[in-house]
């Protein structure tokens, strides 16, 4: 059942067994898994079924660190969240075994769970995202196809990237949730405060408001924050009645270790004969193939291809993960004007107008020749095979407590403090970029390809001088850790020290792999759904027994302070 919070009588009191805050990838998966469980499930979503500019503006914030996308642009505040057509593209890659492990060269690395613990949930996640549950196995065969670069070596491997044929979870799940007798979806409802009892160990209720001025109260047995990698932490920081540092923040880690996947354009791969080998390394071409498959109603798994650092190379050279696309470019490659032009076209195709349009247009006008060359190369690639290809490398970022979100003094339409993002990139990320360029070019040259490591400013320029771009992934701000001193949630995604509050989504990632978090978000949501049902006695499970309800002692102050 769907309801509009604006249509309820003012100061309504709602009750549920499980309350889920947010209807994006994590929230819709959780809610769908709980259909028919016998539990009363209430999903709270800030947006509606259609995009609304006033609601979207609640995402706006302040960027205080590296240049970053306006925060109201890189998430979608509607039912389905960023899996809406204005958001996620559908790429579905699981994390690697190494991504879960402790790495002595990566600070704060190591998940409290292993890849094998998520394996059955990855299979369920593939099915949720309309892919064959055995897609991970099928990807291994895809590595050996004839139309990939012959570069599988000890250092550089071909890494298949599955693409969902139906990535818009709001559309996929809407009818099922509407018909579910035990699930209620409340639209246009914004959580303004998470309220606890006096000892701050149990959430008693949520305060909710609408943009029309109504307020409501929601009481549940268990609460799950599934509002996104920034909003989860923001809600906890805002919930500071009686605890100025924010809810669940005894360790000081709420909002810290914000991670993205920094994206760099560099180098050139040249040759008239390359197009047949590189089509699957161009994400735009692969997405076009998905549209063709959909039109033909063919459901076979569709894989893009990318180059990645092997686990052996990461261990031997003490590097982070890195993955690289190849895209057609003009002879000079894409620089400032070309990059801004392409990203502006990207957003316009998604029917969204960037709030920093003036900055983008200024950058295009200041570098008009490159913007024109980028536009020409894009059009020519559709008419004839490209002869120049540029590397687009997406990097894992190491956790850094100084890369963080805090609360700004400015306030949104609900009177809540906006987010202030201070995104930072560490030296290990930069080192990984430098070695990735060298390793990939060495491998390609050895295989007979014409490869250069030219930076955006020309041959011999230092790519590290260029500011990174991004891929709109928000991770790490409520990190998972076995020890309450080192994170925010435990291995079951329960907030340390609070009996009935959980967090779902990429904000719980301790480390983030080399790209594509959505599949892992969905897998973790399946796992959390099983765990929650086990707590209520609905799903007997040998693997996930009900947690010990006795709480660990609250930590007075973590090593970071507050």
């Amino acid at each position: 059942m769907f309801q509009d919070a604006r249509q309820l009588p003012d100061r309504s009191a709602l009750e549920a067994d499980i309350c889920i805050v947010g209807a994006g990838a994590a929230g819709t998966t959780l809610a769908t898994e709980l259909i028919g469980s016998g539990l009363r499930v209430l999903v709270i979503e800030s947006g509606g079924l259609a995009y609304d500019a006033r609601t979207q503006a609640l995402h706006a914030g302040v960027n205080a660190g590296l240049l970053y996308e306006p925060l109201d642009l890189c998430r979608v505040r509607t039912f389905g969240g960023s899996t809406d057509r204005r958001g996620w593209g559908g790429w579905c890659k699981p994390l690697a075994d190494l991504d879960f492990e402790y790495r002595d060269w990566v600070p704060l690395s190591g998940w409290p769970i292993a890849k094998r613990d998520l394996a059955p949930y990855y299979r369920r996640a593939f099915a949720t995202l309309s892919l064959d549950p055995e897609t991970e196995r099928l990807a291994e065969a895809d590595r050996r196809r004839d139309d990939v670069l012959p570069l599988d070596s000890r250092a550089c491997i071909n890494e298949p990237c599955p693409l969902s044929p139906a990535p818009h979870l709001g559309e996929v799940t809407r009818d099922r949730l509407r018909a579910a007798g035990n699930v209620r979806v409340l639209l246009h409802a914004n959580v303004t405060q998470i309220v606890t009892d006096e000892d701050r160990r149990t959430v008693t209720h949520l305060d909710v408001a609408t943009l029309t001025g109504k307020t409501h109260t929601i009481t549940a047995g268990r609460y799950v924050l599934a509002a996104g990698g920034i909003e989860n932490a923001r809600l906890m920081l805002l919930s500071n009645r009686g605890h100025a540092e924010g809810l669940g923040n005894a360790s000081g880690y709420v909002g810290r270790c914000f991670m993205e996947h920094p994206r760099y354009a560099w180098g050139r791969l040249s040759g008239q004969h390359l197009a047949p080998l590189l089509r699957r390394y161009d994400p735009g071409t692969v997405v076009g193939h998905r549209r063709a498959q959909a039109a033909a109603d063919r459901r076979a798994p569709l894989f893009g291809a990318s180059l990645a650092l092997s686990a052996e190379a990461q261990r031997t050279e003490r590097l982070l993960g890195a993955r690289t696309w190849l895209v057609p470019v003009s002879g000079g490659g894409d620089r400032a004007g070309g990059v801004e032009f392409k990203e502006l076209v990207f957003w316009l195709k998604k029917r969204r107008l960037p709030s920093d349009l003036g900055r983008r247009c200024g950058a295009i006008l200041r570098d008009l020749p490159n913007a024109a060359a980028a536009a020409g190369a894009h059009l020519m690639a559709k008419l004839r095979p490209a002869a120049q290809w540029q590397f687009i490398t997406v990097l894992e970022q190491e956790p850094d407590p100084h890369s963080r979100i805090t609360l700004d003094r400015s306030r949104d339409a609900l009177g809540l403090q906006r987010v202030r993002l201070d995104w930072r990139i560490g030296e290990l990320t930069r080192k990984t970029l430098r070695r990735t360029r060298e390793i990939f070019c060495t491998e390609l040259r050895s295989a007979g390809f014409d490869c250069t490591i030219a930076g955006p400013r020309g041959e011999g320029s230092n790519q590290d001088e260029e500011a990174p771009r991004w891929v709109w992934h928000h991770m790490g701000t409520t990190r998972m850790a076995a020890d309450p001193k080192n994170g925010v949630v435990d291995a079951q995604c329960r907030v340390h020290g609070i009996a009935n509050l959980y967090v779902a989504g990429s904000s719980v990632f301790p480390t983030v792999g080399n790209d594509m978090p959505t599949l892992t978000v969905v897998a973790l949501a399946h796992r959390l759904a099983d765990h929650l049902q086990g707590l209520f006695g609905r799903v007997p499970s040998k693997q996930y027994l009900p947690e010990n309800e006795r709480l660990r002692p609250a930590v007075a102050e973590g090593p970071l302070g507050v």
Side-chain angles (χ1 to χ4, degrees):
M1 177 174 64
F2 282 72
Q3 287 184 297
D4 189 327
R6 300 171 300 183
Q7 304 304 319
L8 296 178
D10 194 21
R11 300 183 182 179
S12 292
L14 292 79
E15 296 183 354
D17 295 311
I18 297 174
C19 177
I20 302 167
V21 180
T28 55
T29 300
L30 267 170
T32 304
E33 281 293 287
L34 295 170
I35 291 174
S37 64
L39 299 170
R40 297 170 301 159
V41 179
L42 176 61
V43 181
I44 306 170
E45 169 54 45
S46 173
L49 296 177
Y51 183 84
D52 174 74
R54 190 178 178 209
T55 299
Q56 185 64 28
L58 295 173
H59 264 316
V62 176
N63 285 319
L66 291 170
L67 175 68
Y68 194 68
E69 196 81 279
L71 299 182
D72 58 335
L73 186 64
C74 49
R75 306 316 301 153
V76 183
R77 211 172 180 108
T78 187
F79 180 77
S82 293
T83 69
D84 179 83
R85 292 181 183 274
R86 293 172 175 83
W88 182 51
W91 298 100
C92 298
K93 187 174 67 63
L95 294 176
D97 290 358
L98 182 63
D99 297 328
F100 291 89
E101 298 172 7
Y102 168 70
R103 294 166 278 172
D104 62 6
W105 66 97
V106 180
L108 297 171
S109 62
W111 290 53
I113 60 175
K115 172 72 176 287
R116 63 179 176 274
D117 298 320
L118 269 191
Y121 300 103
Y122 270 132
R123 289 192 288 273
R124 285 164 60 178
F126 278 123
T128 296
L129 294 164
S130 303
L131 285 161
D132 189 312
E134 297 300 318
T135 292
E136 192 166 9
R137 179 182 57 79
L138 296 172
E140 289 303 312
D142 189 81
R143 293 178 190 271
R144 296 182 289 275
R145 285 176 42 155
D146 293 335
D147 57 347
V148 295
L149 291 167
L151 293 177
D152 280 336
S153 69
R154 297 179 64 180
C156 176
I157 61 173
N158 279 293
E159 185 172 70
C161 302
L163 188 63
S164 168
H168 312 300
L169 282 179
E171 298 174 15
V172 172
T173 61
R174 184 182 305 170
D175 290 343
R176 289 189 64 194
L177 292 174
R178 194 190 303 276
N182 67 313
V183 179
R184 185 179 188 182
V185 180
L186 189 64
L187 302 172
H188 301 289
N190 304 278
V191 175
T192 59
Q193 190 78 198
I194 305 166
V195 184
T196 65
D197 58 8
E198 289 186 4
D199 66 6
R200 295 181 288 172
R201 294 191 171 192
T202 304
V203 176
T204 59
H205 66 275
L206 305 179
D207 289 338
V208 172
T210 71
L211 285 171
T212 58
K214 290 185 177 181
T215 60
H216 308 299
T217 301
I218 295 173
T219 304
R222 298 292 190 280
Y223 303 83
V224 181
L225 301 182
I230 288 179
E231 284 296 303
N232 283 343
R234 182 192 181 205
L235 285 173
M236 296 179 73
L237 293 172
L238 285 169
S239 299
N240 54 8
R241 294 177 187 170
H243 31 97
E245 75 279 6
L247 185 62
N249 197 24
S251 66
Y253 271 105
V254 173
R256 292 187 185 268
C257 296
F258 172 85
M259 289 173 282
E260 243 279 10
H261 285 121
R263 168 171 55 98
Y264 290 89
W266 60 274
R268 214 84 71 248
L269 196 60
S270 305
Q272 297 290 343
H273 63 291
L274 288 174
L277 272 180
L278 299 185
R279 288 193 183 102
R280 296 180 63 232
Y281 293 84
D282 174 15
T285 300
V286 179
V287 170
H289 289 166
R290 177 175 63 187
R291 288 193 292 267
Q293 276 200 342
D297 196 27
R298 287 161 45 199
R299 309 293 284 184
L302 182 63
F303 294 95
S306 64
L307 299 176
L309 287 180
S310 68
E312 181 177 348
Q314 292 177 58
R315 288 191 178 97
T316 302
E317 305 228 15
R318 301 173 70 81
L319 301 174
L320 296 162
R323 190 181 57 74
T324 297
W325 300 108
L326 283 149
V327 299
V329 292
S330 63
D334 288 342
R335 294 188 295 277
V339 170
E340 294 290 356
F341 173 80
K342 283 188 171 182
E343 290 192 6
L344 181 57
V345 170
F346 169 84
W347 286 120
L348 293 176
K349 284 182 176 179
K350 289 183 176 290
R351 296 173 293 167
R352 301 184 68 186
L353 192 63
S355 53
D356 64 344
L357 184 61
R359 181 195 66 79
R360 293 174 190 269
C361 290
I364 291 170
L365 291 173
R366 287 191 295 272
D367 191 14
L368 197 56
N370 188 260
H378 178 72
L379 292 173
M380 291 305 295
K382 296 179 179 298
L383 300 175
R384 58 176 174 79
Q388 298 284 336
W389 300 73
Q390 188 170 49
F391 297 92
I392 306 293
T393 292
V394 179
L395 297 163
E396 179 183 7
Q397 177 181 351
E398 72 264 40
D400 177 3
H402 297 99
S403 181
R404 64 185 298 200
I405 66 167
T406 54
L407 298 179
D408 193 62
R409 293 181 180 179
S410 62
R411 295 181 180 267
D412 64 18
L414 294 168
L416 303 177
Q417 288 177 267
R418 294 192 184 278
V419 165
R420 183 179 183 85
L421 171 62
D422 185 357
W423 181 37
R424 304 188 186 189
I425 299 292
E427 175 54 33
L428 183 56
T429 303
R430 296 187 176 93
K431 173 189 173 183
T432 301
L433 173 64
R434 291 191 294 267
R435 283 297 293 139
T436 296
R437 290 158 50 198
E438 292 167 359
I439 289 169
F440 286 179
C441 272
T442 298
E443 294 280 345
L444 287 162
R445 287 167 181 164
S446 296
F449 294 97
D450 181 7
C451 177
T452 62
I453 312 181
R457 296 176 184 174
E459 186 67 44
S461 72
N462 184 356
Q463 173 68 41
D464 297 336
E465 296 175 358
E466 304 294 328
R469 305 301 283 188
W470 44 84
V471 286
W472 309 281
H473 298 161
H474 302 157
M475 303 165 288
T477 56
T478 63
R479 66 192 320 268
M480 186 190 297
D483 188 337
K485 294 180 181 179
N486 296 326
V488 179
V489 304
D490 65 15
Q492 302 295 351
C493 295
R494 180 174 65 86
V495 176
H496 287 296
I498 302 179
N500 60 343
L501 180 62
Y502 294 77
V503 182
S506 55
S507 67
V508 307
F509 290 13
T511 54
V512 300
N514 68 13
D515 203 356
M516 305 178 187
T518 304
L519 182 74
T520 303
V521 167
V522 173
L524 285 170
H526 279 289
R527 182 173 181 265
L528 179 55
D530 279 7
H531 177 71
L532 290 172
Q533 290 184 81
L535 293 180
F536 285 93
R538 296 300 193 273
V539 178
S541 173
K542 295 179 181 179
Q543 188 173 7
Y544 299 112
L545 297 175
E547 67 189 355
N548 188 338
E549 292 293 338
R550 292 176 298 172
L551 299 173
R552 294 186 177 95
V555 180
E557 181 174 311
L560 300 172
V562 295

